[in-house]
Structures are given as structure tokens and as C-alpha cells.
Amino acid sequence: MVLPTDYALAVENLTVSFDGFKAVDAVSLYVDKGELRVVIGPNGAGKTTLLDLICGKTRPTSGSIQFLNRELSSMAEQKIVRNGVGRKFQTPSIYPKLTVFENLEVSFPKGRGVWGSLFFSRSEEVKSRILEVAKEIYLDEDLDTEAEILSHGQKQWLEIGMLLIANPQLILLDEPVAGMSVSERKKTAELLRRISQGRSVVVIEHDMNFVREIADKVTVMHQGKVLAEGSMDKVENDEKVIEVYLGH
Ligand SMILES: Nc1ncnc2c1ncn2[C@@H]1O[C@H](COP(=O)(O)OP(=O)(O)O)[C@@H](O)[C@H]1O
Ligand SMILES: [Mg+2]
């Protein structure tokens, strides 16, 4: 039996086996509310698969995933979203022909605001939330811009905004700054620090300078397992980590 914990996210003994190959192998991981956790490790370490398991895209072979004391490991993917988990994949999934405003609008969760609609119109509620999020993601002056003409970095921010609209309590991001310019990276670091306040964020990242800038704690994965965990200073001086990841 897995006991409820005080952590927002408690992953315990999580394993997934693809034809006998354990891509994630007995991983345990605990993330607090308000914490920004970064997961690093060499290619093929199982980082993306770990996020796939948490958001319900892939089913674990064994182990548990508790989020705010709800068990996610057998929950349908859409229900996991409704329970406050937002996932951004490596390839952007914005609607290129829609404007920034419209992209945020279509991401507004349906069926919300039932009570609010008694007092003011739903469209006002949606609009004010869109403006709030657009400001957070540095796109409040681009609301009428078609998504396809945004810069690469702005597209990534828009996709983060499409998650934020629903105010998820856990956000999972796979390599959010890949391909971004230096100034976009800086603004993304600020954005991630800001959105981790009051919720939990798990980020997969390779750029060690960026990791140092954003991480509360770092988890290092290797061959499906957790190799090391702790502050950036701790993990970058860990001999096992240097050997398999940082040393080359
Ligand atoms: N659906 C799948 N079927 C078979 N093997 C998979 C599947 N998904 C991932 N893998 C394998 O699991 C390992 C971990 O992959 P991944 O989680 O993408 O690593 P990372 O994101 O750390 O680079 C890789 O060897 C990959 O080929
Ligand atoms: Mg990956």
C-alpha cells in the first residue's frame, strides 16, 4: 500500500517495460508544491518516458504516481488533465493559422465557470483570463498576431500559455528552451521561476547554465534509473554524474 504523502507529486517505484526493456526502472521522485525540479541525463535515459507516464500517455508496468493524493497511474489521460496536470511536448502544438488570442481561447477549459456565468458573461471571464496569461508569457502586445509568424521562442511561450490558461497545479515541460536565443532563454527562465510559485513544475533540460539558473533541485537519470538527486552544486560534483553525463 502506498501512503498519502505531503508532497504534491509522489512517484514511487515506477517502472515501464517495452518488450522487456525497462525505459523507466524503479524510479521514485517527490516534488513539492512551489518547486521547480529539473530532470537531466544522457539521451535515452528515460526522461521523456517519465513525463509520458506522469501525464498518462504511457501506462506503467508497475509503481505509483500520486498527485495531490490522487493516483494517476490508471487514470485516463483527459482526466489527468482535468486533475490539474499540464504537459508540453518537445514539438509545439499551437494552431499556426489562429492568432495568439484564439490559441489561448481554444485552450480555455470547457465546462468551467458555471457559477461565474450567473454573474457575468463567460466570454468576459475567458477574455480576462486570456489577457492575464498573455501578459505572463510576454505576448500581450501580439494578441492579434497569427501564431505562425511568431519567433520560435514566442511559439514556445504561447504553448506554455495554452497550458497556463487552465491553471494546472503540475506543469511538465520537455526541453522548453531548445533552439531559443540567449535573450529568449533569459525570459523563459524568469517565466518558469514565476509559474512555479504556488504549483509544481518538472522540466527536462540539457543546457546546464539554464538548469543552474532555474532549478530548485536536480534529478539525474541514467538507463531508466535515478542516478543522483539534489542541488545543482551537489549533482555536478557527484562522481557518477560526471562519469556518465557531465564528463564528456
Ligand atoms: N514506446 C516505446 N517503445 C519502445 N521503446 C521506447 C518507447 N519509448 C521510449 N523507448 C526507449 O526508452 C528509452 C528512453 O527513451 P526516452 O524516455 O525518450 O529518453 P530521453 O528522453 O531521456 O532521451 C530509449 O532507449 C527509447 O528508445
Ligand atoms: Mg527526451
Side-chain angles (χ1 to χ4, degrees):
M1 187 179 75
V2 178
L3 295 170
T5 68
D6 290 334
Y7 295 98
L9 175 69
V11 170
E12 294 190 316
N13 241 320
L14 195 67
T15 298
V16 67
S17 162
F18 299 118
D19 296 325
F21 169 75
K22 290 178 178 172
V24 168
D25 188 0
V27 164
S28 294
L29 184 85
Y30 303 88
V31 182
D32 272 325
K33 183 176 175 179
E35 180 180 348
L36 197 167
R37 174 70 55 93
V38 181
V39 180
I40 64 172
N43 273 335
K47 306 181 296 295
T48 297
T49 305
L50 175 64
L51 296 198
D52 289 346
L53 290 165
I54 296 170
C55 76
K57 184 171 177 258
T58 299
R59 291 293 163 202
T61 308
S62 58
S64 79
I65 305 162
Q66 297 224 331
F67 178 59
L68 301 177
N69 293 326
R70 290 199 184 90
E71 179 59 48
L72 303 186
S73 58
S74 52
M75 204 182 268
E77 209 174 343
Q78 273 313 308
K79 195 167 174 200
I80 292 175
V81 173
R82 285 198 299 276
N83 274 277
V85 179
R87 163 82 184 272
K88 183 189 173 313
F89 292 91
Q90 256 169 301
T91 44
S93 57
I94 54 174
Y95 301 95
K97 293 292 179 196
L98 298 186
T99 64
V100 167
F101 186 94
E102 290 163 344
N103 267 280
L104 294 172
E105 192 176 32
V106 296
S107 307
F108 194 88
K110 289 161 193 66
R112 277 216 336 198
V114 182
W115 299 107
S117 65
L118 291 173
F119 304 103
F120 60 101
S121 82
R122 177 179 164 84
S123 65
E124 283 306 308
E125 180 193 355
V126 175
K127 197 174 163 194
S128 75
R129 180 68 187 142
I130 290 171
L131 297 182
E132 194 174 53
V133 169
K135 205 165 194 161
E136 273 201 282
I137 58 171
Y138 316 111
L139 291 175
D140 50 322
E141 289 177 3
D142 301 277
L143 285 167
D144 297 327
T145 305
E146 275 184 20
E148 68 181 351
I149 67 168
L150 296 173
S151 74
H152 171 75
Q154 289 175 319
K155 285 178 184 157
Q156 304 289 320
W157 296 337
L158 177 55
E159 211 188 349
I160 292 172
M162 291 165 75
L163 297 179
L164 287 175
I165 278 280
N167 195 22
Q169 294 307 293
L170 171 63
I171 295 183
L172 309 170
L173 304 171
D174 202 342
E175 304 189 23
V177 297
M180 278 191 189
S181 69
V182 173
S183 71
E184 286 173 337
R185 272 167 204 250
K186 265 214 154 65
K187 287 170 92 171
T188 306
E190 272 173 45
L191 172 63
L192 298 188
R193 292 299 319 165
R194 206 169 349 102
I195 66 174
S196 66
Q197 285 167 25
R199 51 164 80 88
S200 308
V201 179
V202 179
V203 183
I204 296 174
E205 194 43 66
H206 283 296
D207 177 336
M208 295 311 282
N209 291 322
F210 188 74
V211 175
R212 184 174 293 102
E213 212 169 315
I214 64 168
D216 288 316
K217 259 191 195 174
V218 179
T219 298
V220 188
M221 285 185 72
H222 177 54
Q223 295 179 345
K225 291 187 162 70
V226 173
L227 184 70
E229 192 170 272
S231 67
M232 184 67 181
D233 283 344
K234 182 185 159 193
V235 300
E236 74 182 345
N237 290 303
D238 184 303
E239 281 184 20
K240 293 182 305 241
V241 177
I242 293 167
E243 190 185 322
V244 307
Y245 187 55
L246 298 175
H248 44 85

